[in-house]
Amino acid sequence: MNIEQLKDMKNSEEYLLAVNVVSELEQVFDIEIPDSEVGYLAIHFSGKQFIEIKPGEENFVITSKIDGIVKHILSEVKSSYNIDFTNDFELRMSLALHLVPMDIRLKHDMFLRNPLLGEIKQRYTLAYMLATSACGVLKKHYKKDIYEDEISYIALHFNLALERNRSTIAKKNIVIVCATGRGSSSLLVYRFKEEVGAYLNRIEACDVGQLKYFDFDRVDYVITTVPIPFSVPKPILEVQFFLDEGDVKALKNFLSGKTTFSFSEKFDSRLFISHLSASTKEEVIRKMVDRIKEVKTIPNNFYDLVMKRESMAVTAFGNLVAIPHPCEVIGDETFVCIAILDEPIIWESVEVQFIFMMSMKKDRDENMEAFSTMISRLLLNPAYIQKMIQTRDYQTLANCFNQIEEEMRSE
C-alpha cells in the first residue's frame, strides 16, 4: 500500500477499528505491526462492511459513480432478458448499497466466499442469470473477472425483486363456460369467488353456444367445465364442475401467472443435436448457430452476439452444463437449441458436455419465469443431465420436462 492510499484510509472509521485491533495484537504477542499492515486490515473491514442507515447518524450518500453503474446494470438486464427493473427503487438502492463494499473488494482483489453459492444457482437460477448479466457490466468497468461468489450475492438482490413482482397479483377477468343452465353456472361463479376471488376482477358465465358470440376483449382467460369444439383467442383452463383441491391449486397457479409453457413451442426437435463433435466452445457455438440458421430466421450477427455475451460473463453453470445466449433479446420468439457433445470439453475452465443455447424474444414473455424455473430444475439436476447424455433422445427431454411440471404442480 502506497503512502497516498494510507493517508486516505487514516480518516476512515475502518482504519480506527484496525488501529484498535492491531494495538491489542501488539500487546498480546509483544510484536510491532507496521502502518501498512494496519491499512490492509482496514481495507478488509471496508470490503466486508454491511451498510445500515440509522436515524440520527451521518448521511450516507451514494456516489454518482455507483448510481451510474447500477443504472447500467439494470439497462443491461433489460436488454438481455427483457425484464425491466428500472423503476424498482428498492432494487436500485439495495444494489447500490451492495456495490459500495464490493467496489473496495474489486479494487484490492479481495475474495468474499459465499457458502450458499451452489444452492443459489440451483434454487434461484433466473436471478443468478440476471446477476451474471449484471456482473458483465462490472467486469467491463473494473476490467476484472467477477467471481461466482460475488455473482451469487448480487443474485439474492435480484431474487428479492422477482419475489416482490410475484406478490403483486394483477386481478384477471374470466368467463366460465358450463354445459348446463343459469342455476349451475351461478353456483360455479359463487365457488370461484369463494376459492380464488383474490385473483379475480370480473367473472362472467355462458354456455358453449353463447361462447361463439362472446366478446373476448372483455376477459383474460376462459375457464371451462366442458370441451370447447372451436378456436377461441384466449388461454383456456379445463376444470371439473365440482372443483376439487387439485383444481383449486391449478386455478391459483393459472391466475397468478404460475403457468407452464408449451414444450414444443420452445423446444423444436430440429434444434436438438444429439451428437456434436467439437473441441472448443467457439466451435460448439458456431455449429449450433449454423443449425439454428437452418431452422429459424435469425440476424446475421447472432454468433457475434453470443460471443459478446461469452466475453462479458460466465455461462458454464457446472453439472456439465453451459448456457450460452445472445447479449440482447432478438426476434419474435423464444427458442432453445440443445447440443450434446460426443466428449466433454473445457469451457471457461469447467468441463461441459450439455449445451443449452437459448434466445429470448423482444416482447415480454409472460411464461419466462415458469420457463426459467423448469430449465433450472433440468440443468442443475445431475440425474436429468446424465440421463440426457446417456440416451441423447428428444423424447427423453420431453419426459424430463413432464416430470418437472408434475413436481411443480404438486408443490
Coordinates of all heavy atoms in Angstrom, one line a residue, residues 10-77:
K10 N -6.6 6.7 6.7 CA -6.5 7.1 8.1 C -7.7 7.9 8.6 O -7.8 8.0 9.8 CB -5.2 7.9 8.3 CG -4.0 7.0 8.3 CD -2.7 7.7 8.7 CE -1.5 6.7 8.8 NZ -0.3 7.4 9.2
N11 N -8.5 8.5 7.7 CA -9.6 9.2 8.2 C -10.9 8.4 8.3 O -11.9 8.9 8.7 CB -9.9 10.4 7.3 CG -8.7 11.4 7.3 OD1 -8.2 11.7 8.4 ND2 -8.4 12.0 6.1
S12 N -10.8 7.1 7.9 CA -12.0 6.3 7.9 C -12.2 5.6 9.2 O -11.3 5.4 10.0 CB -11.8 5.2 6.8 OG -10.8 4.3 7.1
E13 N -13.5 5.2 9.4 CA -13.9 4.5 10.6 C -13.3 3.1 10.7 O -12.9 2.6 11.8 CB -15.4 4.4 10.6 CG -16.0 3.8 11.9 CD -17.5 3.7 11.8 OE1 -18.2 4.6 11.2 OE2 -18.1 2.8 12.4
E14 N -13.1 2.5 9.5 CA -12.5 1.2 9.4 C -11.0 1.2 9.9 O -10.5 0.3 10.5 CB -12.6 0.6 8.0 CG -14.0 0.2 7.6 CD -14.8 1.5 7.2 OE1 -14.2 2.5 6.9 OE2 -16.0 1.4 7.2
Y15 N -10.3 2.3 9.6 CA -8.9 2.5 9.9 C -8.8 2.6 11.5 O -7.9 1.9 12.1 CB -8.3 3.7 9.3 CG -6.8 3.7 9.5 CD1 -5.9 3.0 8.6 CD2 -6.2 4.4 10.6 CE1 -4.5 3.0 8.8 CE2 -4.8 4.5 10.7 CZ -4.0 3.8 9.9 OH -2.6 3.8 10.1
L16 N -9.7 3.3 12.1 CA -9.6 3.4 13.6 C -9.9 2.1 14.2 O -9.3 1.7 15.2 CB -10.7 4.5 14.0 CG -10.5 5.9 13.6 CD1 -11.6 6.8 14.0 CD2 -9.1 6.4 14.1
L17 N -10.8 1.3 13.6 CA -11.1 0.0 14.1 C -9.9 -0.9 14.0 O -9.5 -1.6 14.9 CB -12.3 -0.6 13.4 CG -12.6 -2.1 13.8 CD1 -13.0 -2.2 15.2 CD2 -13.8 -2.6 12.9
A18 N -9.2 -0.8 12.8 CA -8.0 -1.6 12.6 C -6.9 -1.2 13.6 O -6.1 -2.1 14.0 CB -7.5 -1.4 11.1
V19 N -6.7 0.1 13.9 CA -5.7 0.5 14.8 C -6.0 -0.1 16.2 O -5.0 -0.6 16.8 CB -5.8 2.1 15.0 CG1 -4.9 2.5 16.2 CG2 -5.2 2.7 13.7
N20 N -7.2 -0.2 16.6 CA -7.5 -0.8 17.9 C -7.2 -2.3 17.9 O -6.7 -2.8 18.9 CB -9.0 -0.6 18.3 CG -9.3 0.9 18.6 OD1 -8.5 1.6 19.0 ND2 -10.6 1.3 18.3
V21 N -7.6 -2.9 16.8 CA -7.3 -4.4 16.7 C -5.8 -4.6 16.8 O -5.3 -5.5 17.5 CB -7.9 -5.0 15.4 CG1 -7.4 -6.4 15.2 CG2 -9.4 -4.9 15.5
V22 N -5.0 -3.9 16.0 CA -3.6 -4.0 15.9 C -2.9 -3.7 17.3 O -2.0 -4.4 17.7 CB -3.0 -3.1 14.8 CG1 -1.5 -3.0 14.9 CG2 -3.4 -3.7 13.4
S23 N -3.5 -2.7 18.0 CA -2.9 -2.4 19.3 C -3.1 -3.6 20.3 O -2.1 -3.9 21.0 CB -3.6 -1.2 19.8 OG -3.2 -0.9 21.1
E24 N -4.2 -4.2 20.2 CA -4.4 -5.4 21.0 C -3.5 -6.6 20.7 O -2.9 -7.2 21.5 CB -5.9 -5.9 20.9 CG -6.9 -5.0 21.5 CD -6.9 -5.0 23.0 OE1 -6.5 -6.0 23.6 OE2 -7.2 -3.9 23.6
L25 N -3.3 -6.7 19.3 CA -2.4 -7.8 18.9 C -1.0 -7.6 19.3 O -0.2 -8.5 19.7 CB -2.5 -7.9 17.3 CG -3.8 -8.5 16.8 CD1 -3.8 -8.3 15.2 CD2 -4.0 -9.9 17.2
E26 N -0.5 -6.3 19.2 CA 0.8 -6.0 19.6 C 1.1 -6.2 21.1 O 2.1 -6.7 21.5 CB 1.1 -4.5 19.3 CG 1.3 -4.2 17.8 CD 1.5 -2.7 17.5 OE1 1.0 -1.9 18.3 OE2 2.2 -2.4 16.5
Q27 N 0.0 -5.9 21.9 CA 0.2 -6.2 23.4 C 0.2 -7.7 23.7 O 1.0 -8.2 24.5 CB -0.9 -5.5 24.1 CG -0.8 -4.0 24.1 CD -2.0 -3.3 24.9 OE1 -2.5 -3.9 25.8 NE2 -2.3 -2.1 24.6
V28 N -0.7 -8.4 23.0 CA -0.8 -9.8 23.3 C 0.4 -10.6 22.9 O 0.9 -11.5 23.6 CB -2.1 -10.4 22.7 CG1 -2.1 -12.0 22.8 CG2 -3.3 -9.8 23.3
F29 N 0.9 -10.3 21.7 CA 2.0 -11.1 21.1 C 3.4 -10.4 21.2 O 4.4 -10.9 20.8 CB 1.7 -11.4 19.6 CG 0.5 -12.3 19.4 CD1 -0.7 -11.8 19.0 CD2 0.6 -13.7 19.6 CE1 -1.8 -12.6 18.8 CE2 -0.4 -14.5 19.4 CZ -1.7 -14.0 19.1
D30 N 3.4 -9.2 21.9 CA 4.6 -8.5 22.1 C 5.4 -8.3 20.7 O 6.5 -8.6 20.6 CB 5.5 -9.2 23.1 CG 6.7 -8.3 23.5 OD1 6.5 -7.0 23.4 OD2 7.7 -8.8 24.0
I31 N 4.7 -7.7 19.7 CA 5.3 -7.5 18.4 C 4.9 -6.1 18.0 O 4.1 -5.4 18.6 CB 4.7 -8.5 17.4 CG1 3.2 -8.4 17.3 CG2 5.2 -9.9 17.6 CD1 2.6 -9.2 16.2
E32 N 5.6 -5.6 16.9 CA 5.3 -4.3 16.4 C 4.8 -4.5 14.9 O 5.5 -5.2 14.1 CB 6.6 -3.5 16.4 CG 6.3 -2.0 15.9 CD 7.5 -1.1 16.1 OE1 8.4 -1.4 17.0 OE2 7.6 -0.2 15.3
I33 N 3.6 -4.0 14.6 CA 3.0 -4.1 13.3 C 3.1 -2.8 12.6 O 2.6 -1.8 13.1 CB 1.5 -4.6 13.5 CG1 1.5 -6.0 14.2 CG2 0.8 -4.7 12.1 CD1 0.1 -6.4 14.5
P34 N 3.6 -2.8 11.4 CA 3.8 -1.6 10.6 C 2.4 -1.0 10.2 O 1.4 -1.7 10.1 CB 4.6 -2.0 9.4 CG 4.4 -3.4 9.3 CD 4.2 -4.0 10.6
D35 N 2.5 0.3 9.9 CA 1.2 1.0 9.5 C 0.6 0.4 8.2 O -0.6 0.4 8.1 CB 1.5 2.5 9.2 CG 1.7 3.3 10.5 OD1 1.4 2.7 11.6 OD2 2.1 4.5 10.5
S36 N 1.5 0.0 7.3 CA 0.9 -0.6 6.1 C 0.0 -1.8 6.3 O -1.0 -2.0 5.7 CB 2.0 -1.0 5.1 OG 2.9 -2.0 5.8
E37 N 0.3 -2.6 7.4 CA -0.5 -3.8 7.7 C -1.8 -3.3 8.3 O -2.9 -3.9 8.1 CB 0.2 -4.7 8.7 CG 1.4 -5.4 8.1 CD 1.0 -6.4 7.0 OE1 -0.1 -6.9 7.1 OE2 1.9 -6.7 6.1
V38 N -1.7 -2.2 9.1 CA -3.0 -1.6 9.6 C -3.9 -1.2 8.5 O -5.1 -1.4 8.5 CB -2.7 -0.4 10.5 CG1 -4.0 0.2 11.1 CG2 -1.7 -0.7 11.6
G39 N -3.3 -0.6 7.4 CA -4.0 -0.2 6.3 C -4.7 -1.4 5.6 O -5.9 -1.3 5.2
Y40 N -4.0 -2.5 5.4 CA -4.5 -3.6 4.8 C -5.7 -4.2 5.6 O -6.7 -4.6 5.0 CB -3.4 -4.7 4.6 CG -2.5 -4.5 3.4 CD1 -1.2 -4.3 3.6 CD2 -3.1 -4.4 2.1 CE1 -0.3 -4.1 2.5 CE2 -2.2 -4.2 1.0 CZ -0.9 -4.0 1.2 OH -0.1 -3.8 0.1
L41 N -5.6 -4.2 6.9 CA -6.6 -4.7 7.7 C -7.9 -3.8 7.6 O -9.0 -4.3 7.5 CB -6.2 -4.7 9.2 CG -7.2 -5.3 10.2 CD1 -7.5 -6.8 9.8 CD2 -6.6 -5.3 11.6
A42 N -7.6 -2.5 7.5 CA -8.8 -1.5 7.3 C -9.5 -1.8 6.0 O -10.7 -1.7 5.9 CB -8.2 -0.1 7.4
I43 N -8.7 -2.1 5.0 CA -9.3 -2.4 3.7 C -10.2 -3.7 3.8 O -11.3 -3.7 3.2 CB -8.2 -2.7 2.6 CG1 -7.5 -1.4 2.2 CG2 -8.8 -3.4 1.4 CD1 -6.3 -1.6 1.3
H44 N -9.8 -4.7 4.5 CA -10.6 -5.9 4.7 C -11.9 -5.5 5.4 O -13.0 -6.1 5.1 CB -9.8 -7.0 5.4 CG -8.9 -7.8 4.5 ND1 -9.4 -8.8 3.8 CD2 -7.6 -7.6 4.2 CE1 -8.4 -9.3 3.1 NE2 -7.3 -8.6 3.3
F45 N -11.8 -4.7 6.5 CA -13.0 -4.3 7.2 C -14.0 -3.5 6.2 O -15.2 -3.7 6.2 CB -12.7 -3.4 8.3 CG -12.0 -4.1 9.5 CD1 -11.1 -3.5 10.3 CD2 -12.4 -5.4 9.8 CE1 -10.5 -4.1 11.4 CE2 -11.8 -6.1 10.9 CZ -10.9 -5.4 11.7
S46 N -13.4 -2.7 5.4 CA -14.2 -1.9 4.4 C -14.9 -2.8 3.4 O -16.0 -2.6 3.0 CB -13.3 -0.9 3.7 OG -12.8 0.1 4.6
G47 N -14.2 -3.8 3.0 CA -14.7 -4.7 1.9 C -15.7 -5.6 2.4 O -16.4 -6.2 1.6
K48 N -15.9 -5.8 3.7 CA -16.9 -6.7 4.3 C -17.9 -6.0 5.1 O -18.7 -6.6 5.9 CB -16.2 -7.8 5.1 CG -15.3 -8.7 4.2 CD -14.7 -9.9 5.0 CE -13.9 -10.8 4.1 NZ -13.4 -11.9 4.8
Q49 N -18.0 -4.7 5.0 CA -18.9 -3.9 5.8 C -20.3 -4.2 5.3 O -20.6 -4.4 4.2 CB -18.6 -2.4 5.8 CG -18.7 -1.8 4.4 CD -18.4 -0.3 4.4 OE1 -18.9 0.4 5.3 NE2 -17.6 0.1 3.5
F50 N -21.3 -4.1 6.3 CA -22.7 -4.1 6.0 C -23.2 -2.7 6.2 O -23.1 -2.2 7.4 CB -23.4 -5.2 6.9 CG -24.9 -5.1 6.7 CD1 -25.5 -5.7 5.6 CD2 -25.7 -4.5 7.7 CE1 -26.9 -5.6 5.5 CE2 -27.1 -4.5 7.6 CZ -27.7 -5.0 6.5
I51 N -23.8 -2.1 5.2 CA -24.2 -0.7 5.3 C -25.6 -0.7 5.8 O -26.5 -1.2 5.1 CB -24.0 0.0 4.0 CG1 -22.6 0.1 3.6 CG2 -24.6 1.4 4.1 CD1 -22.3 0.6 2.2
E52 N -25.8 -0.1 7.0 CA -27.2 0.1 7.5 C -27.4 1.5 7.9 O -26.6 2.1 8.6 CB -27.4 -0.8 8.7 CG -28.8 -0.8 9.3 CD -28.9 -1.7 10.5 OE1 -27.9 -2.2 11.0 OE2 -30.0 -1.9 11.0
I53 N -28.4 2.1 7.4 CA -28.6 3.6 7.6 C -29.6 3.7 8.8 O -30.7 3.2 8.8 CB -29.3 4.2 6.4 CG1 -28.3 4.1 5.2 CG2 -29.5 5.7 6.6 CD1 -28.9 4.5 3.9
K54 N -29.1 4.4 9.9 CA -29.9 4.5 11.1 C -30.2 6.0 11.3 O -29.4 6.9 11.0 CB -29.0 4.0 12.3 CG -28.7 2.5 12.2 CD -27.9 2.0 13.4 CE -27.6 0.6 13.3 NZ -26.7 0.1 14.4
P55 N -31.4 6.2 11.9 CA -31.8 7.6 12.2 C -30.7 8.3 13.1 O -30.2 7.7 14.1 CB -33.1 7.5 12.9 CG -33.6 6.1 12.6 CD -32.4 5.3 12.4
G56 N -30.4 9.6 12.8 CA -29.5 10.3 13.7 C -28.1 10.2 13.3 O -27.3 11.0 13.8
E57 N -27.7 9.2 12.4 CA -26.4 9.1 12.0 C -26.1 10.0 10.8 O -27.0 10.5 10.2 CB -26.1 7.6 11.7 CG -26.1 6.7 12.9 CD -25.5 5.3 12.5 OE1 -25.4 5.0 11.3 OE2 -25.3 4.5 13.4
E58 N -24.8 10.2 10.5 CA -24.4 11.0 9.4 C -24.9 10.4 8.1 O -25.0 9.2 7.9 CB -22.8 11.0 9.3 CG -22.3 11.9 8.3 CD -20.8 11.9 8.2 OE1 -20.2 11.4 9.2 OE2 -20.2 12.4 7.3
N59 N -25.4 11.3 7.2 CA -26.0 10.8 5.9 C -25.0 9.9 5.1 O -23.8 10.2 5.1 CB -26.3 12.0 5.1 CG -27.5 12.8 5.6 OD1 -28.3 12.3 6.4 ND2 -27.6 14.0 5.2
F60 N -25.6 8.9 4.6 CA -24.8 8.0 3.7 C -25.2 8.4 2.2 O -26.4 8.3 1.9 CB -25.1 6.5 3.9 CG -24.4 5.6 2.9 CD1 -23.1 5.3 3.1 CD2 -25.1 5.1 1.9 CE1 -22.4 4.5 2.2 CE2 -24.5 4.3 0.9 CZ -23.1 4.0 1.1
V61 N -24.3 8.9 1.5 CA -24.5 9.3 0.1 C -24.0 8.3 -0.9 O -22.8 8.0 -0.9 CB -23.9 10.7 -0.1 CG1 -24.2 11.2 -1.5 CG2 -24.4 11.7 0.9
I62 N -24.9 7.9 -1.8 CA -24.4 7.0 -2.9 C -23.8 7.9 -4.0 O -24.5 8.8 -4.4 CB -25.6 6.2 -3.4 CG1 -26.2 5.3 -2.3 CG2 -25.2 5.4 -4.7 CD1 -27.5 4.6 -2.7
T63 N -22.6 7.6 -4.3 CA -21.9 8.5 -5.3 C -22.5 8.3 -6.7 O -23.2 7.3 -7.0 CB -20.4 8.1 -5.4 OG1 -20.3 6.7 -5.9 CG2 -19.8 8.2 -4.0
S64 N -22.3 9.3 -7.5 CA -22.8 9.3 -8.9 C -22.2 8.1 -9.6 O -22.9 7.6 -10.5 CB -22.6 10.6 -9.6 OG -21.2 10.9 -9.6
K65 N -21.0 7.8 -9.3 CA -20.3 6.6 -10.0 C -21.1 5.3 -9.7 O -21.4 4.6 -10.6 CB -18.9 6.5 -9.5 CG -18.1 5.4 -10.3 CD -16.8 5.1 -9.6 CE -16.9 4.1 -8.4 NZ -15.6 3.6 -7.9
I66 N -21.4 5.1 -8.4 CA -22.1 3.9 -8.1 C -23.5 3.9 -8.7 O -24.0 2.9 -9.2 CB -22.2 3.7 -6.5 CG1 -20.8 3.5 -5.9 CG2 -23.1 2.6 -6.1 CD1 -20.1 2.1 -6.3
D67 N -24.2 5.0 -8.6 CA -25.5 5.1 -9.1 C -25.5 4.8 -10.7 O -26.4 4.2 -11.2 CB -26.1 6.5 -8.8 CG -27.6 6.6 -9.3 OD1 -28.4 5.7 -8.9 OD2 -27.9 7.5 -10.0
G68 N -24.5 5.4 -11.3 CA -24.3 5.2 -12.8 C -24.1 3.7 -13.1 O -24.7 3.2 -14.1
I69 N -23.3 3.0 -12.3 CA -23.1 1.6 -12.5 C -24.4 0.8 -12.4 O -24.7 -0.1 -13.2 CB -22.0 1.0 -11.5 CG1 -20.7 1.6 -11.9 CG2 -22.0 -0.5 -11.6 CD1 -19.6 1.2 -10.9
V70 N -25.2 1.1 -11.3 CA -26.5 0.4 -11.1 C -27.4 0.7 -12.3 O -28.1 -0.3 -12.8 CB -27.1 0.9 -9.8 CG1 -28.5 0.4 -9.7 CG2 -26.3 0.5 -8.6
K71 N -27.5 1.9 -12.8 CA -28.3 2.2 -13.9 C -27.9 1.4 -15.1 O -28.7 0.8 -15.9 CB -28.3 3.7 -14.2 CG -29.1 4.5 -13.2 CD -29.0 6.0 -13.6 CE -29.7 6.9 -12.6 NZ -29.6 8.3 -12.9
H72 N -26.6 1.3 -15.3 CA -26.0 0.5 -16.5 C -26.4 -1.0 -16.3 O -26.7 -1.7 -17.3 CB -24.5 0.7 -16.5 CG -23.9 0.2 -17.8 ND1 -22.6 0.3 -18.1 CD2 -24.5 -0.4 -18.9 CE1 -22.3 -0.3 -19.2 NE2 -23.5 -0.7 -19.8
I73 N -26.3 -1.5 -15.1 CA -26.7 -2.9 -14.8 C -28.1 -3.2 -15.1 O -28.4 -4.2 -15.8 CB -26.4 -3.2 -13.3 CG1 -24.9 -3.4 -13.0 CG2 -27.2 -4.4 -12.8 CD1 -24.5 -3.6 -11.6
L74 N -29.0 -2.3 -14.7 CA -30.4 -2.6 -15.0 C -30.8 -2.4 -16.4 O -31.6 -3.1 -17.0 CB -31.3 -1.6 -14.1 CG -31.1 -1.7 -12.6 CD1 -32.1 -0.7 -11.9 CD2 -31.4 -3.1 -12.1
S75 N -30.0 -1.5 -17.1 CA -30.2 -1.4 -18.6 C -29.7 -2.7 -19.3 O -30.4 -3.1 -20.2 CB -29.4 -0.2 -19.1 OG -29.5 -0.1 -20.5
E76 N -28.6 -3.2 -18.8 CA -28.1 -4.5 -19.4 C -29.0 -5.6 -19.2 O -29.3 -6.4 -20.1 CB -26.7 -4.8 -18.8 CG -26.1 -6.1 -19.3 CD -25.8 -6.0 -20.8 OE1 -25.5 -4.9 -21.3 OE2 -25.8 -7.1 -21.4
V77 N -29.6 -5.7 -18.0 CA -30.6 -6.8 -17.7 C -31.8 -6.7 -18.6 O -32.3 -7.7 -19.2 CB -31.0 -6.8 -16.2 CG1 -32.2 -7.7 -16.0 CG2 -29.8 -7.2 -15.4

